[in-house]
Amino acid sequence: MTQSAFIRAVKGEVIRQKPVWFMRQAGRYLPEYRATRAKAGSFLNLCFNPELAAEVTLQPIDRYDLDAAILFADILLLPMFMGQELSFETGEGPRLKPALIDEPVHLSHDRLEKGLAPIMETIRICRRELSEDKALIGFAGAPWTVATYMIGGRGIKDPASFRSYAYEQPGNFDALISELESATINYLKNQIRAGVNAVQLFESWASGLPADFLRSYCLGPACRIANAIKAEFPDVPVIVFPKGAGYQVKEYAVSGCFDAIGLGTESDPVWAVEELSEHVALQGGLDPLLVVQGGEKMRAAAEKILFVFAEKPYVFNLGHGFVPHTPPENVAELVSLIRQ
Ligand code: CP3
């Protein structure tokens, strides 16, 4: 397979016209997504229906001709097959029952492979339908981020506060992180066997943690996951997105564990280019709310990013996912600016 511009950039090549994809590129801001989701009946039905999940994975590629598709699934499908019950209440976000703060749960890997088999089928369909110059990105949540949902049973404003669970129940917490680490390694390897060309680890809740805690429970597991993947699939790039890790993003960069790092909305691109670019490829950074705004503000921020990273290995993306009220025409304008 000829290597796509996206794969070449995450592997460190400087490409003049920057490749582009977006976090949450398939989702509620697109009318075609809402139509397919309605057909599926619910978000989880959509995740486990390979034909429909492949359809929504490919919708943003058809609409915007992006360089990469990201598998349509969710980071919380893993705990769903490890012993908790997952549901999405409309307007309230995810629920995992029972929450580990309320009740200890026996975590098991037995049901993972069978439970996640439909996701592998989605990958096979997508890879069959995508042209060779388009990459398919697989993903998983990083252990700490997934653990915050498992511990609390839901998303909260300050997930870093769940470190108190680690302080109060160190044995349970260490076991939880290490179970998630090994489950994630298997899950990502299976995604690669099914056909994804790169994988991204989402550490969405790296902010607000003590430096040593972040080293032990975010960077450490992410690095071991990346190394385990590299040991079997040395050519498959691993991207990590440690959102909100602040200056510690540099520790991710110099660790040598990752091919590329996703920059959060809060990252200064000038700092990133000076401190990180000599160590890894970079991706992302544009404030997703500027795409809601559109117009001159969005264009100026995008142009600044393109200017700053012009001579570096860089993949255009956001600093977090699209929000549901993003106007699709602003996305089209952004893509055409990147393509100029
Ligand atoms: O990025 C993509 O387009 C690929 C698919 C994808 C989804 N979730 C689909 C989704 C990916 C990569 C994710 C990752 C994910 N899921 C993360 C890490 C990235 C991030 O955003 O920080 C997290 C924390 C989750 C957990 C999760 N799933 C939350 C908090 C929610 C939001 C609940 C809500 O109602 O807003 C989801 C649901 C979800 N996952 C949706 C999508 C498109 C919305 C579902 C819908 O109602 O149609």
Side-chain angles (χ1 to χ4, degrees), residues 273-323:
V273 91
E274 285 171 0
E275 297 291 326
L276 311 177
S277 273
E278 63 178 293
H279 306 287
V280 278
L282 297 172
Q283 168 180 281
L286 182 72
D287 183 355
L289 297 188
L290 282 173
V291 191
V292 176
Q293 191 71 25
E296 188 45 44
K297 283 199 175 77
M298 173 185 80
R299 285 195 299 274
E303 277 163 6
K304 177 176 175 184
I305 285 175
L306 290 170
F307 177 77
V308 169
F309 292 109
E311 303 302 325
K312 303 291 179 191
Y314 176 77
V315 173
F316 200 97
N317 204 321
L318 309 170
H320 207 170
F322 281 135
V323 296

Side-chain angles (χ1 to χ4, degrees), residues 62-332:
D62 294 342
R63 190 189 258 258
Y64 302 117
D65 194 28
L66 304 169
D67 293 282
I70 181 161
L71 167 68
F72 190 83
D74 198 86
I75 66 166
L76 301 179
L77 303 184
L78 203 65
M80 178 177 179
F81 294 107
M82 290 177 77
Q84 285 177 307
E85 195 184 305
L86 174 65
S87 62
F88 284 87
E89 321 280 331
T90 317
E92 289 186 48
R95 286 290 154 80
L96 282 166
K97 282 186 199 137
L100 303 184
I101 36 166
D102 297 330
E103 207 175 303
V105 175
H106 173 71
L107 300 174
S108 143
H109 293 215
D110 300 349
R111 292 167 61 222
L112 277 173
E113 195 133 336
K114 191 155 179 258
L116 295 168
I119 309 303
M120 304 306 149
E121 184 55 23
T122 305
I123 293 171
R124 285 187 284 269
I125 299 171
C126 289
R127 200 49 276 176
R128 217 162 43 227
E129 300 204 352
L130 277 168
S131 62
E132 279 204 349
D133 60 329
K134 308 289 185 197
L136 179 62
I137 303 170
F139 72 92
W144 162 252
T145 291
V146 176
T148 64
Y149 289 94
M150 294 178 79
I151 294 166
R154 62 171 71 200
I156 61 163
K157 267 218 162 57
D158 179 23
S161 68
F162 287 129
R163 66 188 181 280
S164 59
Y165 178 87
Y167 299 154
E168 286 157 16
Q169 303 191 41
N172 286 341
F173 183 71
D174 283 10
L176 172 61
I177 294 292
S178 106
E179 290 289 334
L180 284 169
E181 192 179 304
S182 61
T184 303
I185 290 169
N186 286 335
Y187 182 35
L188 290 176
K189 283 185 174 178
N190 281 339
Q191 291 185 27
I192 295 167
R193 289 181 194 112
V196 303
N197 310 106
V199 294
Q200 175 156 320
L201 267 178
F202 284 88
E203 189 73 278
S204 302
W205 307 126
S207 65
L209 295 170
D212 280 336
F213 190 97
L214 184 136
R215 280 181 199 113
S216 300
Y217 296 114
C218 299
L219 176 54
C223 196
R224 288 189 293 272
I225 291 167
N227 287 338
I229 291 167
K230 291 281 169 194
E232 193 171 339
F233 303 102
D235 294 333
V236 175
V238 179
I239 307 163
V240 66
F241 176 51
K243 186 171 190 321
Y247 72 91
Q248 282 189 288
V249 174
K250 186 154 183 189
E251 293 181 37
Y252 279 82
V254 301
S255 70
C257 299
F258 314 102
D259 296 275
I261 290 182
L263 302 171
T265 307
E266 69 288 346
S267 301
D268 177 4
V270 174
W271 176 85
V273 91
E274 285 171 0
E275 297 291 326
L276 311 177
S277 273
E278 63 178 293
H279 306 287
V280 278
L282 297 172
Q283 168 180 281
L286 182 72
D287 183 355
L289 297 188
L290 282 173
V291 191
V292 176
Q293 191 71 25
E296 188 45 44
K297 283 199 175 77
M298 173 185 80
R299 285 195 299 274
E303 277 163 6
K304 177 176 175 184
I305 285 175
L306 290 170
F307 177 77
V308 169
F309 292 109
E311 303 302 325
K312 303 291 179 191
Y314 176 77
V315 173
F316 200 97
N317 204 321
L318 309 170
H320 207 170
F322 281 135
V323 296
H325 55 288
T326 304
E329 58 276 16
N330 290 354
V331 180

